[in-house]
Amino acid sequence: MSTARTQTRAIEPWTELLDAARGGESLVGESFEWERAARTTPIPEELHPDLAAALRAAGVNELYEHQLEALEAAWRGPAITTTGTASGKSLCFNLPALDVLLRDGKARALYLYPTKALAQDQARAIAGLALGDRVRPAIYDGDTPREARGQIRKRSNLILTNPDMLHVGILPNHAMWGELFANLAVVVVDEAHVYRGVFGSHVANVLRRLRRIAGAYGTEPRFLLTSATIANPVELAERLTGLAPVALVDRDGSPSAGRRIAIWNPPITDEALGIRRSALSEGAELLASLVGAGARTICFVRSRKGVELLTRLVTLELERRGTPELAERIAPYRAGYTPAQRREIEGRLTAGELVAVVTTDALELGIDVGALDAAMVVSFPGTIASLRQMWGRAGRRRRGLALYVASEDALDQFFARHVEDFLERPVESAILDHESEEIHLAHLLCAAHEGPLSADDAEWFGPRTLAYLERLEGLGELRACDGRWVLRRRERYPAAELSLRSSSPDSYAIVEGATGEVIGVTEAARAFSTVHEGAVYLHQARPYRVLELDIDARRAIVEPFDGDWYTQPKRETETLIERLLDRREALGVTLSFGRVLVTETVLAYQRKRIGDHEEIDLVALELPPTRFATQALWFELDAGVLEGFPPELLLGSLHAAEHAQIAVLPLLAMCDRWDIGGLSTNAHPQTGGPTIFIHDGHPGGVGITRLAFAQFETLVEDAHRLIGECTCADGCPSCVQSPKCGNLNEPLSKLGAQELLARLRRANNSRPLAGLRGRGVARDLPN
Ligand SMILES: [Zn+2]
Ligand SMILES: [Zn+2]
């Protein structure tokens, strides 16, 4: 499919804006992605004729090549599709799944979605295919009325649900779902990249339980996954499902708009402190210009507070420019809208009544606005994978502008200085660990409830199953009987006590005081630092203030919060090495990976103003210490590396280097810096010398620091560049200061850390230590 080139150079709504900015200090990078024509192929003869007819009736007369490839892959075995935003990924699993349902009247399919909104969209799309009553989709989630549930179980042959419901509602009651499990042909896992970290480690266990129960009913369903672009799609699919090999479909045959990419860094307003104009103010001005030029724009902001602020700022800016009427054509968009409200916004946007929506990435999870002229992302959304997904919205009428406005955060500024790196850097890996101990053991109990376990269940849960079963027996949770393990009698079934969003069954409920509604849970190990009395707690980008933390009842009472401050806890941390799992020489230091015991005492919290991070006050707290075991890497700096290093700067240098490494770790593994913790000390009792620890922030750990151990050289290089290139004098939030430092960023030496990391990079003698490689060679360190 080729199209004639237009004779004259098209003037895009953003041409003027970019032309004016070129040569200035804010437009720090530009790039262009060429338009790509579709590669299509006829609908294959082998597809069920009724499905082919339904596609044609819906206006689909050809398939993109990747859709055919996905269909053929699905016929052979498990597969994952990772093509771009709006590339018709749904057909990649709908074609094989619906084909099976049409051919076999008894067959069943199960679709898993991370959110209810996405499940609703998919149900609507399937219903739109007009396949009559041979395909009977139904949503089964927490909102499904009780009286409708029995009918759905009996009648529907395509169940759309979420992993939480599968875990707590469907698997434990599999006897009621016998029809589904005995005929389960296809399991679809859409948006699989969402299943990473703690959540992913849980879902990997839930899917193994699903395969086990299906096996007990005599079926072996075909798993079909999709994901945004990530560095390790096949590995993710294999870790999630426990199946291998999983086929990869990633050659995108869909057409793609030509896209101009512009990277924007707000100007410096205070040279000495290195302070820049806020990304929100800058974003508001850019949005006003785009809207003024008639560009239909979607603007992504990280928090709900940010959405409100930016919407208010852009209104003021439009008034200032003498076009206040435009403000009415910009809508803020939040999660939590009903399907009807979402459809209304979509409709107004499509009709051109609205020119812009401002949203958190909630929109990625549940609104379908199609392509727009411009997609603007204000501050780094956490991963390049999600940034690219957001940018993918730009490209109506074959051309689009993808804009990114950097905030002052360390990663944002790192990217603003390395635009090429940013645009070409391979996307991150999605990491999970189904054997993360606390998570895994808890799911074995759930599995025992679903049916007695035996050594044969290693087929589903992995080679350590027997050892774990014996351990659970030792803990009094399971009872052994003739080579089978059954659950001991308990009050509630285990799944009812286990949240998939928390790494430990021991958790605190977050309860909204006025309504009594449970809005979330947090792990006990993190409760004191996140929901202590007075804490401002963010839930789905929305702020709440903690009124009371009830330790005995394991709950925090909160209220919606509208103030202009946030809180940062002051903590005392100790790290004890429990088990050394791996060790190597790297960059002149001894680098170790293992299991550590982290003890934390939250002493106080600081209130800080949102606008300028100015401290308001410090409030003391009285809380007992908490302790959790997790994974960590640590490295010891010996006398050689430290020769001539000023001793009074050592602690501040270690601390600043640790912060910088934590700041850049999300470049390697898809995680948030809040998922990682650290400790620096100039004399650790076990290593006997100056040591930096970087540990997983969740009990048990989910493999993030294992990856950092393997890629330590990259981690040091990125951290060194982060610090060395920041123009501030003594350290700022864009380099060594951390918004989550338990010591409130004291002491920090930017220059010392720069020197330290430079010395590591010069040493460059990485090699494995003979005989200590690999996962199986654990040994205990002397205390
Ligand atoms: Zn700095
Ligand atoms: Zn710190």
Side-chain angles (χ1 to χ4, degrees):
M1 279 206 328
S2 69
T3 40
R5 280 183 189 277
T6 36
Q7 299 298 308
T8 52
R9 179 172 166 251
I11 301 294
E12 318 295 352
W14 47 83
T15 306
E16 206 178 314
L17 174 71
L18 293 180
D19 284 351
R22 239 163 245 132
E25 58 172 329
S26 293
L27 183 59
V28 292
E30 271 189 283
S31 138
F32 192 77
E33 285 175 359
W34 292 103
E35 184 178 350
R36 191 184 62 217
R39 283 182 290 115
T40 58
T41 175
I43 296 174
E45 303 261 309
E46 297 93 323
L47 200 66
H48 193 286
D50 294 354
L51 181 52
L55 289 175
R56 291 197 179 93
V60 179
N61 295 307
E62 293 180 299
L63 298 181
Y64 298 131
E65 281 180 6
H66 67 269
Q67 292 170 330
L68 177 64
E69 201 188 319
L71 174 66
E72 290 172 348
W75 281 334
R76 286 190 300 268
I80 182 164
T81 302
T82 65
T83 50
T85 313
S87 61
K89 258 189 283 203
S90 295
L91 275 192
C92 293
F93 52 77
N94 274 334
L95 293 178
L98 299 176
D99 185 69
V100 168
L101 297 185
L102 288 172
R103 280 175 204 283
D104 177 356
K106 289 184 83 100
R108 297 282 185 274
L110 183 70
Y111 282 31
L112 294 175
Y113 278 88
T115 69
K116 293 174 181 171
L118 280 174
Q120 288 162 0
D121 285 349
Q122 187 58 238
R124 202 165 50 126
I126 294 169
L129 273 178
L131 285 162
D133 67 352
R134 279 175 302 161
V135 174
R136 302 178 297 278
I139 294 174
Y140 192 91
D141 62 23
D143 295 344
T144 308
R146 216 149 272 284
E147 57 278 14
R149 294 185 174 190
Q151 191 61 19
I152 290 175
R153 279 196 293 267
K154 229 177 12 219
R155 197 178 167 277
S156 171
N157 62 352
L158 196 166
I159 303 280
L160 299 112
T161 187
N162 50 58
D164 309 77
M165 193 58 169
L166 179 61
H167 155 69
V168 78
I170 299 178
L171 287 171
N173 301 305
H174 59 82
M176 292 163 78
W177 290 88
E179 200 66 16
L180 172 78
F181 287 112
N183 298 290
L184 188 57
V186 176
V187 176
V188 167
V189 183
D190 204 356
E191 308 277 344
H193 59 280
V194 175
Y195 306 127
R196 58 182 193 257
V198 169
F199 189 31
S201 304
H202 276 291
V203 172
N205 278 282
V206 173
L207 294 182
R208 282 166 176 79
R209 282 164 51 203
L210 168 65
R211 288 179 50 219
R212 171 174 180 256
I213 293 300
Y217 283 83
T219 53
E220 204 182 311
R222 176 67 33 92
F223 277 76
L224 305 176
L225 303 90
T226 73
S227 161
T229 312
I230 51 171
N232 61 340
V234 169
E235 185 187 55
L236 174 69
E238 294 180 352
R239 287 190 174 175
L240 267 178
T241 60
L243 295 162
V246 174
L248 174 66
V249 177
D250 65 349
R251 273 173 307 194
D252 197 332
S254 69
S256 164
R259 203 168 286 147
R260 184 160 289 286
I261 294 174
I263 314 286
W264 210 275
N265 200 9
I268 292 187
T269 51
D270 185 325
E271 288 284 346
L273 295 175
I275 293 175
R276 290 176 184 276
R277 183 159 189 242
S278 93
L280 284 178
S281 309
E282 193 77 2
E285 236 171 67
L286 290 166
L287 183 57
S289 301
L290 288 170
V291 165
R296 273 188 218 174
T297 305
I298 181 160
C299 176
F300 294 96
V301 188
R302 273 199 96 165
S303 68
R304 287 195 186 196
K305 191 92 200 156
V307 168
E308 283 167 28
L309 265 170
L310 192 135
T311 312
R312 208 178 309 149
L313 289 171
V314 78
T315 306
L316 291 175
E317 179 63 24
L318 288 168
E319 273 169 23
R320 201 183 62 77
R321 296 184 185 192
T323 51
E325 69 284 357
L326 283 176
E328 280 158 37
R329 299 175 65 198
I330 300 176
Y333 179 82
R334 300 186 313 256
Y337 281 150
T338 63
Q341 287 167 319
R342 293 195 281 128
R343 298 294 93 83
E344 193 214 311
I345 293 182
E346 290 167 16
R348 290 177 62 203
L349 203 56
T350 314
E353 212 177 294
L354 285 179
V355 268
V357 279
V358 185
T359 180
T360 60
D361 71 351
L363 192 135
E364 282 303 322
L365 297 179
I367 188 175
D368 186 11
V369 294
L372 299 165
D373 291 316
M376 175 158 108
V377 181
V378 178
S379 86
F380 187 57
T383 64
I384 293 188
S386 55
L387 178 82
R388 289 210 165 271
Q389 235 183 349
M390 293 174 182
W391 274 354
R393 297 282 179 177
R396 199 166 69 104
R397 288 183 281 199
R398 300 176 34 221
R399 274 168 200 282
L401 170 70
L403 188 61
Y404 161 67
V405 184
S407 81
E408 65 176 356
D409 279 4
L411 272 187
D412 285 67
Q413 288 303 312
F414 185 77
F415 288 138
R417 287 192 301 268
H418 296 285
V419 174
E420 290 81 46
D421 241 45
F422 187 32
L423 295 173
E424 274 148 41
R425 188 156 190 133
V427 288
E428 310 84 352
S429 300
I431 305 294
L432 63 90
D433 179 4
H434 92 276
E435 285 186 320
S436 175
E437 227 159 280
E438 294 200 38
I439 293 175
H440 189 53
L441 291 176
H443 282 278
L444 285 177
L445 290 181
C446 298
H449 171 81
E450 287 148 18
L453 289 158
S454 74
D456 293 342
D457 285 300
E459 181 186 351
W460 318 108
F461 296 112
R464 298 189 208 171
T465 302
L466 183 60
Y468 280 139
L469 292 178
E470 285 166 352
R471 192 142 127 222
L472 286 167
E473 184 191 340
L475 290 169
E477 303 274 9
L478 294 180
R479 192 159 47 80
C481 170
D482 290 339
R484 280 147 65 97
W485 279 262
V486 295
L487 197 63
R488 280 191 182 273
R489 259 250 270 256
R490 44 164 74 213
E491 267 175 40
R492 299 173 71 199
Y493 64 103
E497 289 171 353
L498 179 66
S499 158
L500 302 190
R501 317 286 169 149
S502 151
S503 71
S504 161
D506 187 6
S507 59
Y508 280 64
I510 319 279
V511 181
E512 195 174 333
T515 59
E517 190 196 342
V518 177
I519 58 165
V521 290
T522 184
E523 292 148 12
R526 285 152 59 102
F528 294 167
S529 54
T530 52
V531 291
H532 57 78
E533 202 175 299
V536 174
Y537 169 78
L538 280 183
H539 177 69
Q540 290 185 349
R542 181 175 188 168
Y544 291 88
R545 190 163 117 95
V546 179
L547 302 172
E548 186 199 341
L549 178 68
D550 185 338
I551 296 176
D552 294 328
R554 288 271 187 277
R555 67 174 181 205
I557 310 292
V558 302
E559 64 176 6
F561 176 69
D562 201 28
D564 68 342
W565 75 84
Y566 63 97
T567 56
Q568 184 170 356
K570 180 170 161 62
R571 284 166 302 181
E572 204 169 66
T573 309
E574 269 170 55
T575 303
L576 185 74
I577 301 165
E578 273 201 331
R579 227 146 82 99
L580 175 66
L581 295 169
D582 206 345
R583 173 169 277 180
R584 66 188 178 104
E585 290 280 311
L587 308 179
V589 298
T590 306
L591 175 67
S592 307
F593 171 75
R595 203 171 148 87
V596 297
L597 199 62
V598 178
T599 308
E600 255 181 16
T601 313
V602 179
L603 306 167
Y605 69 94
Q606 206 175 37
R607 288 198 303 147
K608 293 168 104 174
R609 245 193 303 277
I610 289 173
D612 52 10
H613 309 295
E614 206 58 48
E615 177 183 342
I616 301 170
D617 55 9
L618 186 75
V619 185
L621 290 167
E622 258 181 63
L623 289 166
T626 52
R627 195 164 287 127
F628 66 96
T630 190
Q631 299 168 333
L633 71 81
W634 63 94
F635 57 101
E636 301 148 44
L637 298 129
D638 63 16
V641 176
L642 293 176
E643 202 188 319
F645 201 89
E648 70 281 7
L649 284 185
L650 184 58
L651 189 56
S653 309
L654 295 170
H655 189 201
E658 171 216 315
H659 279 189
Q661 285 178 309
I662 291 177
V664 295
L665 182 44
L667 291 173
L668 302 177
M670 289 171 100
C671 65
D672 199 285
R673 70 189 291 161
W674 301 91
D675 294 330
I676 319 160
L679 174 88
S680 315
T681 162
N682 45 20
H684 189 267
Q686 284 169 300
T687 67
T691 310
I692 294 180
F693 286 86
I694 296 174
H695 65 79
D696 223 302
H698 299 277
V702 292
I704 293 168
T705 53
R706 191 197 301 277
L707 183 89
F709 172 81
Q711 302 191 25
F712 183 70
E713 289 78 2
T714 313
L715 190 69
V716 169
E717 187 185 329
D718 285 346
H720 184 238
R721 285 164 68 192
L722 174 77
I723 299 179
E725 294 161 356
C726 190
T727 53
C728 71
D730 305 314
C732 70
S734 302
C735 57
V736 298
Q737 291 178 8
S738 160
K740 53 158 288 194
C741 177
N743 280 324
L744 306 176
N745 288 308
E746 285 293 332
L748 286 178
S749 169
K750 178 189 174 186
L751 292 178
Q754 197 176 341
E755 168 63 21
L756 208 64
L757 294 169
R759 287 184 183 200
L760 293 194
R761 286 187 70 187
R762 278 200 298 274
N764 195 18
N765 66 335
S766 301
R767 66 190 160 86
L769 271 187
L772 255 176
R773 291 287 292 163
R775 224 173 133 149
V777 285
R779 70 158 204 210
D780 288 306
L781 272 190
N783 273 318

